[in-house]
Amino acid sequence: IDLAVQEDDLFRRNRRLILFDMDSTLIQCEVIDELAKCAGVGEQVAEITEAAMRGELNFKESFHARIALLKGMPETVLQGIADTLPITEGAPRLISNLKRLGYKVGILSGGFTYFAERLQKELGIDYVFANELDFVDGKLTGKVKGEIVDGERKAMLLQQIATENGLSLKQVIAVGDGANDIPMLKLAGLGVAFHAKPKVKQQAKVAVSTLGLDGILYLLGIRDSEAMTQGNTTLPETPVPGFTASKL
């Protein structure tokens, strides 16, 4: 069972911006691990990913190490993964209902724009900030373009988007599962550790560990009878490990 205690003030009922991590939050996979499997370096990359998510490795250093192992991969492989991204169960329902209520929705990801932009089109997401992969002649170079989106940059972008929309930080929801999500979870008015690592749960304001993403509607005081839309997606909705259906 999930138990969340919140201050019952005006802001609890007046959030207006929700920002998601992507990998293992908005989708049920770590894209870089899927790419690594296709490149034959799956075990190497998975070990680095897990250590980074637990906060045992510097994110930027681990990121560069993993990307370098993908050098030479053709874009067709990425396209195949993008077309079958396993969207977290409840994500379309959550996002469609929040959009109906006037929310802005964004992705702040240490993953890749190539896949985040696919989700943007699929789910009607307003903002995408992630890492841009570098291609030459249709193949990965093993590098990325521009500044890496790490934990500190996620927090900075959250502040930037809130300011652009004239919102207080108390009106912002941040949702994530890994160590590099902690800065934005702590900054947001409502930081949700979603099926997260223990270190993340300890520092987030609330945790959702037994429901799908639409369980966040309950944190906002929205009952199933008030959540009018189910949302649509052509991508497969995938249950979260430990997911149990619940109705209020």
Side-chain angles (χ1 to χ4, degrees):
I1 187 172
D2 289 322
L3 178 64
V5 178
Q6 300 181 70
E7 185 176 353
D8 190 18
D9 59 13
L10 176 64
F11 292 108
R12 176 174 177 260
R13 299 182 296 276
N14 193 34
R15 318 279 188 198
R16 284 296 176 267
L17 172 65
I18 185 165
L19 300 170
F20 296 94
D21 172 47
M22 182 173 68
D23 296 54
S24 296
T25 298
L26 200 54
I27 57 176
Q28 282 303 296
C29 70
E30 292 286 333
V31 168
I32 196 166
D33 290 348
E34 299 305 309
L35 293 171
K37 291 175 187 175
C38 295
V41 292
E43 290 187 9
Q44 293 170 259
V45 169
E47 289 175 4
I48 298 172
T49 299
E50 279 300 310
M53 294 299 283
R54 291 192 301 266
E56 297 171 3
L57 290 178
N58 175 279
F59 180 80
K60 288 185 177 180
E61 291 177 352
S62 67
F63 183 82
H64 284 299
R66 288 175 288 176
I67 293 299
L69 292 171
L70 303 179
K71 183 178 180 180
M73 176 175 285
E75 185 177 355
T76 52
V77 175
L78 283 75
Q79 184 61 56
I81 293 173
D83 288 341
T84 56
L85 288 173
I87 292 183
T88 299
E89 188 160 6
R93 181 170 180 259
L94 170 63
I95 291 172
S96 63
N97 278 284
L98 293 185
K99 295 284 284 186
R100 185 172 63 91
L101 295 173
Y103 275 67
K104 294 289 186 180
V105 181
I107 293 174
L108 304 182
S109 175
F112 309 113
T113 56
Y114 192 97
F115 303 96
E117 288 171 357
R118 176 72 170 86
L119 295 177
Q120 182 177 32
K121 294 176 182 177
E122 188 75 16
L123 299 172
I125 289 169
D126 301 291
Y127 302 99
V128 166
F129 292 93
N131 300 298
E132 184 179 359
L133 290 164
D134 185 44
F135 292 89
V136 172
D137 297 328
K139 295 183 179 181
L140 291 178
T141 66
K143 299 178 181 179
V144 293
K145 298 178 181 179
E147 186 174 354
I148 290 177
V149 178
D150 60 3
E152 295 307 317
R153 182 153 174 78
K154 286 186 179 187
M156 185 201 76
L157 289 166
L158 182 152
Q159 175 76 72
Q160 175 184 311
I161 297 169
T163 299
E164 288 175 356
N165 284 276
L167 299 175
S168 162
L169 290 176
K170 291 185 177 181
Q171 293 177 280
V172 180
I173 305 168
V175 188
D177 74 300
N180 68 329
D181 297 314
I182 290 173
M184 74 171 183
L185 296 180
K186 294 175 72 172
L187 186 62
L190 178 62
V192 181
F194 182 73
H195 291 262
K197 309 296 186 291
K199 179 178 179 180
V200 183
K201 290 181 182 180
Q202 291 170 6
Q203 300 197 50
K205 296 176 178 67
V206 299
V208 172
S209 301
T210 64
L211 298 171
L213 271 174
D214 53 348
I216 291 172
L217 293 171
Y218 300 151
L219 297 176
L220 306 178
I222 300 172
R223 294 177 176 271
D224 286 324
S225 60
E226 298 168 324
M228 301 298 290
T229 66
Q230 292 301 312
N232 296 303
T233 177
T234 61
L235 297 172
E237 272 195 75
T238 304
V240 184
F243 173 84
T244 55
S246 178
K247 301 291 182 182
L248 287 183

